[in-house]
Amino acid sequence: MLTTHRKQQILSILKRQGQVIAKEVSQSMGVSEDTIRRDLREMAHEGLLQRVHGGALPASPAVADFARRERITPEGKVAIGCAAAKMIQPGQVVILDGGTTARQVARHIPLDLKATIVTHSPTIAIELIDHQNIEVILIGGRLFRHSVVAMGATAIDTIAQIHADTFFMGVTGIHPKTGLTTGDYEEAAIKRALSRAAAETIVLASSEKLNAASPYVVVPLSEISGIITERSAEKALLRPYEKLGITVTRA
């Protein structure tokens, strides 16, 4: 079988089953595991999948830069942002992640709501300038341009002093096997710290992030309480999370 044909079959299996197990694929195609692993390495380099131990998972397309990510399912992100904003109660202390979906949350917070928003994203802070009743706490640090957020030791130290009600987290991938993942090692550490600074974590997950994986784990699914996604998301994609007791909101 030609390499291109093997790769096409691998992609087909990945789409159909949500994962590829190298041993099973090698047996079904009649080639060695080394051959399949080489195919997976090449496909991962092309951004077609995310390699994991024993095989591969779908790669998240949400790893582009900030400007390009804003163009991915914009209607879905607006719906998710609106649903998340409605969950914020008067007087709460809420941590709002950086990113394009979190930006929609900020845009949909009512102007008369009185609450505190903690964020490490200058973009989010700017969105809240006209919210006179919102106290904005901006976490500083080294600017990570890809996501337009602060990172580093200073940010971690500040986060450790916060006890929030809710953290609305953005990720590039959420998968029943790997949990919540993102594309940068340090950003994963910041998101992990923010999650542990809040009583509950709710994930903002537009449909392209469901059942997808990125290289760096943020937290396992056991550490989140809710997921907000689009109404158009397939129920079959959401069922594994609901079985774990996670509240899924289809916006």
Side-chain angles (χ1 to χ4, degrees), residues 50-70:
Q50 174 64 50
R51 291 180 69 211
V52 295
H53 181 73
L57 298 174
S60 172
V63 292
D65 59 33
F66 190 89
R68 281 186 289 169
R69 291 203 312 278
E70 282 204 305

Side-chain angles (χ1 to χ4, degrees), residues 71-94:
R71 297 194 291 269
I72 299 176
T73 59
E75 299 84 3
K77 291 180 180 181
V78 170
I80 291 168
C82 185
K86 289 178 180 178
M87 294 181 181
I88 302 174
Q89 300 299 309
Q92 283 191 325
V93 177
V94 171

Side-chain angles (χ1 to χ4, degrees), residues 72-150:
I72 299 176
T73 59
E75 299 84 3
K77 291 180 180 181
V78 170
I80 291 168
C82 185
K86 289 178 180 178
M87 294 181 181
I88 302 174
Q89 300 299 309
Q92 283 191 325
V93 177
V94 171
I95 301 173
L96 192 49
D97 207 346
T100 56
T101 309
R103 193 175 191 177
Q104 292 297 332
V105 180
R107 288 178 176 176
H108 286 86
I109 294 175
L111 287 171
D112 61 349
L113 180 69
K114 187 173 183 179
T116 299
I117 301 295
V118 180
T119 184
H120 63 317
S121 167
T123 304
I124 298 299
I126 289 170
E127 291 288 347
L128 296 170
I129 283 177
D130 293 331
H131 289 69
Q132 299 299 320
N133 294 320
I134 296 288
E135 181 178 3
V136 180
I137 298 175
L138 181 59
I139 297 169
R142 177 179 59 83
L143 182 65
F144 179 45
R145 288 179 173 82
H146 179 271
S147 300
V148 196
V149 294

Side-chain angles (χ1 to χ4, degrees), residues 100-236:
T100 56
T101 309
R103 193 175 191 177
Q104 292 297 332
V105 180
R107 288 178 176 176
H108 286 86
I109 294 175
L111 287 171
D112 61 349
L113 180 69
K114 187 173 183 179
T116 299
I117 301 295
V118 180
T119 184
H120 63 317
S121 167
T123 304
I124 298 299
I126 289 170
E127 291 288 347
L128 296 170
I129 283 177
D130 293 331
H131 289 69
Q132 299 299 320
N133 294 320
I134 296 288
E135 181 178 3
V136 180
I137 298 175
L138 181 59
I139 297 169
R142 177 179 59 83
L143 182 65
F144 179 45
R145 288 179 173 82
H146 179 271
S147 300
V148 196
V149 294
M151 297 204 307
T154 301
I156 291 287
D157 287 345
T158 303
I159 293 165
Q161 310 305 315
I162 296 167
H163 297 288
D165 295 292
T166 304
F167 171 39
F168 289 103
M169 178 194 287
V171 291
T172 58
I174 175 169
H175 194 281
K177 183 175 181 179
T178 56
L180 309 175
T181 54
T182 194
D184 182 86
Y185 179 77
E186 286 192 43
E187 189 174 23
I190 290 288
K191 290 178 184 291
R192 190 158 49 246
L194 290 169
S195 179
R196 291 170 181 171
E200 66 171 355
T201 295
I202 297 176
V203 179
L204 310 172
S206 45
S207 56
E208 79 278 0
K209 301 171 184 177
L210 294 172
N211 283 17
S214 293
Y216 303 105
V217 176
V218 180
V219 293
L221 291 173
S222 60
E223 294 192 23
I224 70 170
S225 57
I227 297 170
I228 307 176
T229 189
E230 297 119 306
R231 185 172 298 276
S232 59
E234 295 179 18
K235 291 184 179 179

Side-chain angles (χ1 to χ4, degrees), residues 10 14 19-23 25 33 36-37 40-41 44 49-58 177:
I10 289 171
L14 199 58
Q19 65 177 342
V20 165
I21 299 173
K23 184 176 182 180
V25 173
E33 281 192 58
I36 296 301
R37 282 195 290 267
L40 296 179
R41 283 196 299 271
L49 49 77
Q50 174 64 50
R51 291 180 69 211
V52 295
H53 181 73
L57 298 174
K177 183 175 181 179

